[in-house]
């Protein structure tokens, strides 16, 4: 970014700024700080007429803002935000499949985090269908497979529907390959999917072990947001099984969401789970 700005390569600078924001979000950077950085970089992007990185950043920024702030509806897929609807409409009208996938990735993350699993599944399937038109998928260091797997497993828990089994297995196999490439980034992701899958199949003993392993790995590698998600999923597991330890995991998840800067998500958790 700095080199591009220094030599006048504004386009390269702005795409690098967007990559920095993306990596920061996916790695669990403080949402308070990330919101400020989005404001700073997006102002430059639009002032410099760099609409592609600007719109990519704007989509992510809307999700960051909603997770960080208490609101009654999601910012991406179900709100009445006409600015966003204009961007999505332009992507569809212009047959911008890569941009549609980008929107769907962040829509899926947001919907899943707020427990809108049916919506998250719908968005994930739309992205997967659109990806067939692209020369390559958006992997985002295993993040797309992570949220795909979590979403389809959540549908299994919520709807008692096993039709997503193939898609869950696909996400698991993809994450195993990412673990081989970089365990620090994906070990906890894989462990959490495995815990959720074992829970769904009724293997409570191994599921309980894997939830704790996922929590420990996420903490070890510094993924505070996924550390929080793993604790919340463990809370769900113990609640389903009538185990009073559920409140401990929910309480830890709530504290971690606040530490991440996710006040909106923390409030949502308090509202929906009486821990």
């Amino acid at each position: 970014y700095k080199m591009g700005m220094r030599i006048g390569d504004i386009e390269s600078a702005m795409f690098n700024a967007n990559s920095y924001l993306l990596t920061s979000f996916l790695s669990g950077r403080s949402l308070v700080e990330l919101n400020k950085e989005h404001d700073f970089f997006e102002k430059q992007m639009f002032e410099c007429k760099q609409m592609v990185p600007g719109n990519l950043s704007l989509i992510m920024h809307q999700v960051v803002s909603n997770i960080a702030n208490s609101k009654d509806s999601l910012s991406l897929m179900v709100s009445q935000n006409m600015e966003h609807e204009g961007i999505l409409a332009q992507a569809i009208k212009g047959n911008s499949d890569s941009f549609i996938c980008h929107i769907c990735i962040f829509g899926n993350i947001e919907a899943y985090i707020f427990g809108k699993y049916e919506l998250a599944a719908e968005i994930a399937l739309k992205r997967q269908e659109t990806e067939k038109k692209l020369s390559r998928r958006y992997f985002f260091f295993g993040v797309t497979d992570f949220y795909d797997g979590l979403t389809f497993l959540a549908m299994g828990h919520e709807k008692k529907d096993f039709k997503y089994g193939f898609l869950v297995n696909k996400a698991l196999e993809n994450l195993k390959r990412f673990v081989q490439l970089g365990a620090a980034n994906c070990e906890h992701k894989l462990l959490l999917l495995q815990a959720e899958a074992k829970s769904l199949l009724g293997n409570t003993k191994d599921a309980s072990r894997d939830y704790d392993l996922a929590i420990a790995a996420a903490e070890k590698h510094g993924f505070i947001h996924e550390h929080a998600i793993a604790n919340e999923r463990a809370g769900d597991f113990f609640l389903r099984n009538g185990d009073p330890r559920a409140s401990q995991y929910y309480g830890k998840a709530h504290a971690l969401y606040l530490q991440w800067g996710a006040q909106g998500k923390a409030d949502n958790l308090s509202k929906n789970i009486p821990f």
Side-chain angles (χ1 to χ4, degrees):
Y1 164 77
K2 290 181 179 179
M3 181 62 71
M5 295 298 288
R6 187 178 302 131
I7 66 175
D9 188 352
I10 305 301
E11 182 179 30
S12 177
M14 295 307 155
F15 272 106
N16 275 285
N18 181 72
S19 294
Y20 165 74
L21 294 170
L22 171 64
T23 304
S24 295
F25 175 68
L26 298 182
S27 61
R29 181 172 168 78
S30 165
L31 295 182
V32 175
E33 295 302 316
L34 194 51
N35 254 324
K36 294 176 183 177
E37 291 181 329
H38 268 286
D39 288 336
F40 173 77
F41 286 118
E42 282 168 22
K43 184 174 184 291
Q44 287 191 333
M45 289 171 182
F46 290 115
E47 284 179 349
C48 296
K49 310 298 183 185
Q50 295 296 312
M51 305 307 292
V52 174
N55 285 334
L56 291 172
S57 178
L58 181 61
I59 295 301
M60 181 170 29
H61 194 183
Q62 289 178 329
V63 173
V64 169
S65 295
N66 196 30
I67 296 172
N69 300 293
S70 294
K71 294 170 67 175
D72 292 329
S73 63
L74 305 188
S75 65
L76 276 185
M77 294 298 172
V78 297
S79 76
Q80 298 303 311
N81 188 325
M82 294 308 295
E83 182 178 23
H84 166 72
E85 289 176 358
I87 293 172
L88 179 57
Q90 289 172 25
I92 295 172
K93 184 177 179 180
N95 293 317
S96 180
D97 294 323
S98 61
F99 193 33
I100 292 170
C101 287
H102 184 87
I103 294 170
C104 287
I105 287 168
F106 285 96
N108 183 17
I109 291 173
E110 181 182 24
Y112 177 81
I113 285 177
F114 281 98
K116 305 293 185 182
Y117 301 134
E118 196 163 351
L119 176 62
E122 179 184 337
I123 296 168
L125 290 171
K126 178 177 178 60
R127 190 205 79 246
Q128 290 187 0
E129 186 63 29
T130 305
E131 280 179 338
K132 295 176 182 178
K133 306 174 188 177
L134 303 180
S135 58
R136 64 183 180 87
R137 290 183 58 213
Y138 282 93
F139 291 107
F140 286 164
F141 320 110
V143 170
T144 52
D145 288 302
F146 178 55
Y147 281 99
D148 282 357
L150 286 176
T151 296
F152 299 138
L153 283 161
M155 288 297 290
H157 282 297
E158 193 170 85
K159 303 293 185 181
K160 308 301 179 185
D161 191 340
F162 291 88
K163 70 179 181 181
Y164 296 104
F166 171 77
L167 296 171
V168 170
N169 288 333
K170 182 179 177 182
L172 282 165
E173 290 305 311
N174 287 339
L175 269 177
K176 287 176 183 177
R177 287 193 286 271
F178 277 108
V179 169
Q180 292 175 350
L181 294 172
N185 287 328
C186 293
E187 179 186 21
H188 62 285
K189 294 178 175 69
L190 177 60
L191 284 166
L192 183 54
L193 287 193
Q194 290 173 332
E196 286 280 88
K198 289 170 183 175
S199 172
L200 186 60
L201 294 172
N203 187 351
T204 56
K205 182 179 179 180
D206 287 348
S208 177
R209 179 202 62 204
D210 284 356
Y211 282 118
D212 284 336
L213 288 173
I215 288 167
E219 181 177 22
K220 175 183 176 181
H221 299 305
F223 288 84
I224 189 170
H225 56 323
E226 290 161 0
H227 188 193
I229 290 171
N231 272 279
E232 186 180 358
R233 293 292 77 80
D236 291 343
F237 166 74
F238 286 113
L239 183 64
R240 284 192 301 269
N241 288 280
D243 191 317
R245 285 178 290 176
S247 62
Q248 299 174 19
Y249 287 92
Y250 284 132
K252 182 64 174 178
H254 186 267
L256 287 166
Y257 283 129
L258 289 176
Q259 191 177 340
W260 181 30
Q263 183 70 56
K265 169 57 186 177
D267 291 348
N268 175 266
L269 181 61
S270 297
K271 179 180 178 181
N272 291 288
I273 302 293
F275 62 94

